[in-house]
Every structure is written in C-alpha cells, then in structure tokens.
Amino acid sequence: MTSTDIAAEIHEYIVATFLDGEDCADLTHDYDLIANGVIDSLGLVRMVSHIGRLYELPVDELDFGPADFRSIAAITAFIGANSRALAA
Amino acid sequence: MPSPQLVDAVLAHGENRPERVALVSHRRTVTYRELADTVRTFRHRLGRLGPVAGNTVCVPAHKSPETLALMLAAFREGLVVLAPSPDLGGAARDRLCRQARASHLLVVTDNGVISAEPVAQDAADASRFGTPDPGITRLLLTTSGSTGTPKIVPIPLDGFAAFADWAARDFGLTADDTSLSYAPLNFDLALLDVWTFLREGARVVLVDQDRAADGAHLRHLVAAHTVTFVQGVPLLHRLLTGDGTAFPTVRQVVTTGEALGPDLLRPLAAAFPGARFHNVFGCTETNDSFIHPFSPATCEGRLPIGRPVEGVRAELLTPEGKRLSGPGMGELLVTTPFQTSGYLESSLNAKAFTEIEGHPYYRTGDLVTRGTDGLLYLEGRADWQVKIRGVRTNLLEVETVIASHPDVTEAVVVALPDEQAGVRLHAQVVRRPTSSLTGLGLRAHAGRHLPRHAIPSSVRVTEAPLPRTSTGKPDRGLIKADRLKESA
C-alpha cells in the first residue's frame, strides 16, 4: 500500500464519517481538520480507532497528539511511520 | 382594533371623507363610506347571531376588508375579539377558543355573509386562564407558536390608543398616507400598518398572504398605489429591492422582526430615495419598544435596535440579576405605555413580568448589549444559548459569523440533539450564485472567528433560498426537522 493509497482511504473515511452529504471537492491533503472543526475530540477517538484497526497500529504504545491528525497528509505520515502492516 | 374609539374614528371618516379609499385588497377597493356602511350592517347582524356584549368571539384573522369590518363591528358591540392566525389548525384554534372562553367562532365570507358557530366550553381547558375584560381589552393576539403553544396576549385599550398616538406623531402620519400591510393581520405589526392607519383616515394596501413571496407583485402594489409607508421583515425589503426599481413615493421605511443583512443597506437606499429609515424592535407583549433611525446610504455593519421609544424604559439584567447602569450585556427588560396587562394564562405572568421601582417590566429573554453611546444592540435570545459538550454557545453568534462570509447571502444555524455532545450545530447556508463556496471553506472561515466547539458539525450549502415561515422568517423548525430526518 502506497502513501497515495492511504491518503485516498483516509480522505474517503473522513468524507463518509464526518462530512456526510457535503461537497468535498476542496478537501485537500493539507486542509486543517482540527482547527476547522471537522474532527473534534470525539472524532479524534474514532479516527484513532479506525486507523489502529485498519493499519494495525499499536495505538496503546504510541505517543501522539492532535497535531498528528491535523490534516490528511499528517495522518498519512503518522500511519506510514507506525504501521506494522506496512512494515511487514 | 382594540377600541370602540377606533371604530368611532372610522365611522367619522365615513361621514367626513366618504369617497377616500380606506382599503385596497386583491379583489377590490373599499372607500371609508363603504367600510362604515359595512361596519354598521355587521353590527346589526352580530346582534342577531348570538354573541352579547362582554363575550369573547374568535375571528380568524383573514386579511380581507370583510374581516376587518367584522372586527370593527365586534369592538363596537362590546365584544372581545380573539384573532388567531387563519392558518392555525382546527384543533389548536379550538383549544385557544376554549382557553379564552370564546362564545362563538365568527367567519365572514368575501360576500359579507357572517357565520357564527357556538364554541363548546371546557372548564378544564380554561381553568388556568383569566376571563378577558372588555373594559380593558377588545383584542386578543397570540404570540407565534415557534417557541411552543401560542400564548394569548390581551392588547389593552389605552395601550393601543397611546401606541397609535406615538406612531402617528413619530412617523408624521396623515390621512394622505398609504401603508403596505405586509404582515399577517394577527401580528402586532398590524396595530401600526392597518389599525393606526384606519384611525388616521389613511389608506391601507392589504397584501394577500398567498402572494407575499411574489416580489414583482409587491413592487407593483407599492408603485401602483403610491404607497408612502412600508413596514416589514428583511424578506419584504429583499423582495422590494430585488430588481432595482425605485419607489420615490415612499417616505417612511420600517425594518423590523429580525436583523437586517448589511447587504440590503445600499439596495434600500436606492429603492427608496425619498424615505426616512427606522429599525424598530418590539414584541407582541410590549409592542414597538425601541427605534433606531438610520441612513442606509452611508451606514455600515450591523444596525442597533437603538433607543427606547418615548415613554419606554429599559433595563439590562446580568445573569446574577443585577441591573447594568452603563455599557455591557444583559437580558433586556422593558416597560412600555403600550404593553399588555399580562398573558391571559395568569400563571405565566410571575415569570414573564417583574416589577422594578413600581413599573411592570416584561422579561424579553433577549440578550442585548448597551454601547458607550447608549445604543442597544441585539445579541440573540437568552434561550438561544445551547451547551455543546458543556460549553455555552450562542446560535445567533455562530449564525452571524457564518453569514459574514462574503460569499454567503443568508445562513441559519440550528442545534440538533446529539447523544455524545448534548447538541451539535448544523448550518444551512445560501451562497451567492456565482460562488463555489463549500462547507469546508465555510468551516475554515468559522474556524478563524469562532471557538472550535462552535464550528458547525454539518454544513449544507445551497443556492436555493431558505425555507420560510408565513411571516417570512427562516423556518428553523423545518430546517431542523429536515436535517434530523436525513441523518436518522
């Protein structure tokens, strides 16, 4: 799985989960999801659980904060650096 | 309406200015002679139909010359008129009738045939309600039902007289004036644009409710009947200014009911080159209470509600219940010479009214800021505060920020129930036709001006106009219901 694939999957997940029914043509990879209220604290929990499951991240052992989920690019980088599935 | 003296004034106009036009409706034009004759005829008929002086009768407030004549006849016969919206459902109307102990439901056809249907009394329904006293009031209005069950508000005889005196003086009304009556007849706005005008012997152009959203029709009415006085919600002004037509005959323009969008200022100036402009704030309970003269050609930003009308006193109360003497924000309390003596449901009055230094103040529930210059600004409803994850948030504040995006023409923000957050915010937004604005773009705008919890969770951007209530306000209830249905 390339980082492009991961970014596309995260994009799709965000649109389906947090932006139901909206025009998301301008959801760029650097759009600030936290500052603009797309992902709030509850959304963060859902996002962590989603990527933890799908990409086999050891979320309990990892040290992370909102900055790691600020944008699609940040989330993709976080997954790339920590995924067991990708490392395997 | 509200008084036999008003009827006497109308009958006198029938003698003194018989050929002058009193009413223009979509079907016909009625002179003061014809109106006075119809009132006299209806008085005779009322005497044979059953209601007796002192009774309360329910007259659904159809905006027709016949209904106006019937109300005038009833006022003169010593009846109290309960005037609910003609759109109110049968069950809700019947409940109001029983609460007010109405003896009859009166309806008049366009041909002048009056039917009187006796109302079954119900002691249980009426138990918490006072009996309307014809010595104090002849007209019962209801508050709009958007905040719950309509409340019955008696309009006092002396209060209406004082109000009509003030309005005629402040707006310089004469028998040569013509008003455009846009609001429904059951609204307090009709106390000015219908009843005060009839008292003055002036002319009233009645806008048919079915055509209230037809801008071309409204513009035709103003031009064809050389209207001089226009009062209404921003929607009316949006419709009138829609195609750049100028109406040089209009000399007084009143904006009221909700905040006027800053984008309407210049169009207003162009549409009414000969007019004076007033932003007026009031409610059914107190009638017009604040006024702010403004010049739409030069002013910028949001309009204040201004200063108290002559004879009106206002207080701002902090959340701790302290009176604010200087600048600051608080709940608006107001006492006016025009106000009701209290809801007919007397148990509501202890909470809604409070005495300060011997004056009965109405608690508006509105949050207002007083500037250093003494001008008052409406900030929103005290009860429009919602808690999102425990954080107090003002829906109107969020709305104002969203609406301030240059590509937004109109925005409404509603609070939806949310299991986790308590409530979540949903914004419905109308964008400019040429704009490519999206919900994500709007969130970025909101994120720059609002705390994060106040950024709406969902945003719908459309080019279609917002759904509206019969009075032209955005239909928040419908927007909320639609969104809940979609996400269910």
Side-chain angles (χ1 to χ4, degrees):
Chain A
M1 204 172 194
T2 67
S3 67
T4 313
D5 295 333
I6 297 172
E9 190 280 329
I10 296 298
H11 186 283
E12 196 181 314
Y13 177 76
I14 289 170
V15 170
T17 311
F18 304 111
L19 296 166
D20 181 33
E22 285 186 42
D23 175 2
C24 297
D26 54 348
L27 180 56
T28 54
H29 286 184
D30 61 356
Y31 184 85
D32 194 328
L33 301 163
I34 307 281
N36 296 327
V38 174
I39 298 182
D40 58 19
S41 53
L42 295 166
L44 208 59
V45 175
R46 295 174 75 177
M47 178 58 86
V48 170
S49 146
H50 169 75
I51 60 173
R53 220 175 28 242
L54 192 62
Y55 300 100
E56 298 178 34
L57 301 186
V59 288
D60 292 337
E61 304 161 25
L62 291 174
D63 197 11
F64 58 82
D68 298 304
F69 295 86
R70 189 163 288 287
S71 63
I72 292 175
I75 298 170
T76 306
F78 182 73
I79 294 169
N82 297 291
S83 171
R84 286 172 185 163
L86 295 183
Chain B
M1 15 194 89
S3 71
Q5 290 71 30
L6 165 65
V7 189
D8 291 342
V10 169
L11 296 177
H13 297 318
E15 296 295 322
N16 302 331
R17 44 180 58 246
E19 302 313 323
R20 294 290 289 257
V21 171
L23 299 167
V24 178
S25 80
H26 66 291
R27 288 180 306 113
R28 63 199 185 93
T29 289
V30 178
T31 63
Y32 271 98
R33 184 212 306 277
E34 290 166 330
L35 181 59
D37 285 348
T38 309
V39 170
R40 276 189 284 268
T41 307
F42 285 0
R43 284 185 65 187
H44 290 302
R45 286 197 206 147
L46 276 177
R48 294 199 298 273
L49 282 168
V52 295
N55 281 171
T56 295
V57 291
C58 175
V59 181
H62 292 282
K63 216 168 181 185
S64 69
E66 291 72 22
T67 300
L68 287 166
L70 176 59
M71 288 183 178
L72 287 166
F75 299 148
R76 201 68 194 87
E77 287 300 292
L79 301 171
V80 179
V81 174
L82 168 67
S85 160
D87 301 328
L88 194 66
R93 187 190 60 207
D94 292 350
R95 190 168 56 246
L96 279 179
C97 283
R98 295 194 297 271
Q99 290 172 343
R101 299 183 175 83
S103 67
H104 293 78
L105 172 67
L106 299 181
V107 177
V108 58
T109 66
D110 288 350
N111 303 325
V113 180
I114 304 172
S115 64
E117 187 187 311
V119 174
Q121 301 299 306
D122 185 313
D125 272 350
S127 63
R128 288 171 292 115
F129 292 77
T131 303
D133 178 353
I136 293 175
T137 180
R138 296 292 165 87
L139 177 75
L140 309 176
L141 294 182
T142 57
T143 58
S144 55
S146 62
T147 50
T149 319
K151 297 177 200 151
I152 302 172
V153 183
I155 305 299
L157 294 167
D158 53 357
F160 170 71
F163 172 73
D165 286 346
W166 165 74
R169 195 169 58 243
D170 210 64
F171 297 114
L173 303 179
T174 72
D176 293 326
D177 276 303
T178 300
S179 82
L180 182 75
S181 160
Y182 182 73
L185 187 56
N186 51 294
F187 268 55
D188 53 84
L189 297 185
L191 294 170
L192 173 49
D193 60 31
V194 175
W195 299 110
T196 298
F197 272 71
L198 291 181
R199 195 189 79 154
E200 298 303 308
R203 189 164 63 151
V204 180
V205 177
L206 302 168
V207 176
D208 196 32
Q209 290 312 300
D210 294 340
R211 305 195 67 181
D214 180 346
H217 173 66
L218 295 170
R219 292 190 290 269
H220 164 76
L221 288 180
V222 173
H225 301 293
T226 58
V227 165
T228 62
F229 181 93
V230 172
Q231 170 181 249
V233 291
L235 172 67
L236 169 65
H237 300 296
R238 200 170 286 284
L239 291 166
L240 287 177
T241 57
D243 74 343
T245 309
F247 306 99
T249 60
V250 174
R251 49 174 212 86
Q252 300 284 6
V253 172
V254 173
T255 62
T256 191
E258 58 180 298
L260 189 78
D263 64 313
L264 268 178
L265 289 168
R266 300 299 181 268
L268 273 179
F272 305 110
R276 300 175 69 172
F277 296 81
H278 317 266
N279 194 30
V280 168
F281 182 80
C283 54
T284 310
E285 288 85 348
T286 63
N287 209 334
D288 290 349
S289 311
F290 300 91
I291 190 162
H292 179 71
F294 67 99
S295 168
T298 53
C299 70
E300 301 283 348
R302 69 172 178 160
L303 286 175
I305 60 173
R307 299 178 200 280
V309 160
E310 193 185 321
V312 170
R313 292 156 183 257
E315 294 285 350
L316 300 190
L317 233 52
T318 66
E320 297 78 39
K322 287 207 183 94
R323 283 159 67 186
L324 267 180
S325 51
M329 182 160 91
E331 185 196 349
L332 179 66
L333 272 66
V334 62
T335 184
T336 76
F338 327 131
Q339 76 189 26
T340 182
S341 47
Y343 297 116
L344 204 57
E345 185 174 3
S346 39
S347 61
L348 299 176
N349 291 328
K351 209 175 154 195
F353 295 87
T354 185
E355 199 174 290
I356 301 176
E357 291 171 358
H359 297 279
Y361 278 73
Y362 172 65
R363 302 190 69 131
T364 64
D366 293 310
L367 284 180
V368 162
T369 301
R370 186 193 281 130
T372 47
D373 51 6
L375 287 174
L376 299 176
Y377 291 83
L378 187 62
E379 303 293 351
R381 290 287 303 174
D383 53 11
W384 283 25
Q385 302 268 10
V386 296
K387 276 195 167 181
I388 303 167
R389 279 172 241 122
V391 186
R392 266 186 202 290
T393 308
N394 185 318
L395 293 181
L396 284 192
E397 212 173 284
V398 180
E399 229 172 65
T400 306
V401 165
I402 303 262
S404 72
H405 190 287
D407 284 339
V408 170
T409 58
E410 216 174 1
V412 159
V413 174
V414 294
L416 306 175
D418 184 87
E419 273 181 13
Q420 291 171 308
V423 300
R424 63 195 156 87
L425 300 186
H426 170 68
Q428 186 153 334
V429 173
V430 184
R431 71 177 181 201
R432 287 188 197 288
T434 53
S435 139
S436 57
L437 182 68
T438 66
L440 290 166
L442 259 185
R443 281 185 180 81
H445 171 76
R448 281 193 288 277
H449 300 282
L450 289 171
R452 205 162 292 158
H453 67 268
I455 302 172
S457 307
S458 54
V459 181
R460 157 156 305 169
V461 181
T462 70
E463 285 178 16
L466 296 175
R468 305 237 167 226
T469 66
S470 61
T471 56
K473 298 189 184 191
D475 194 340
R476 294 165 200 282
L478 188 65
I479 289 169
K480 206 164 155 172
D482 284 351
R483 181 65 197 181
L484 281 174
K485 237 183 287 169
E486 284 168 11
S487 48

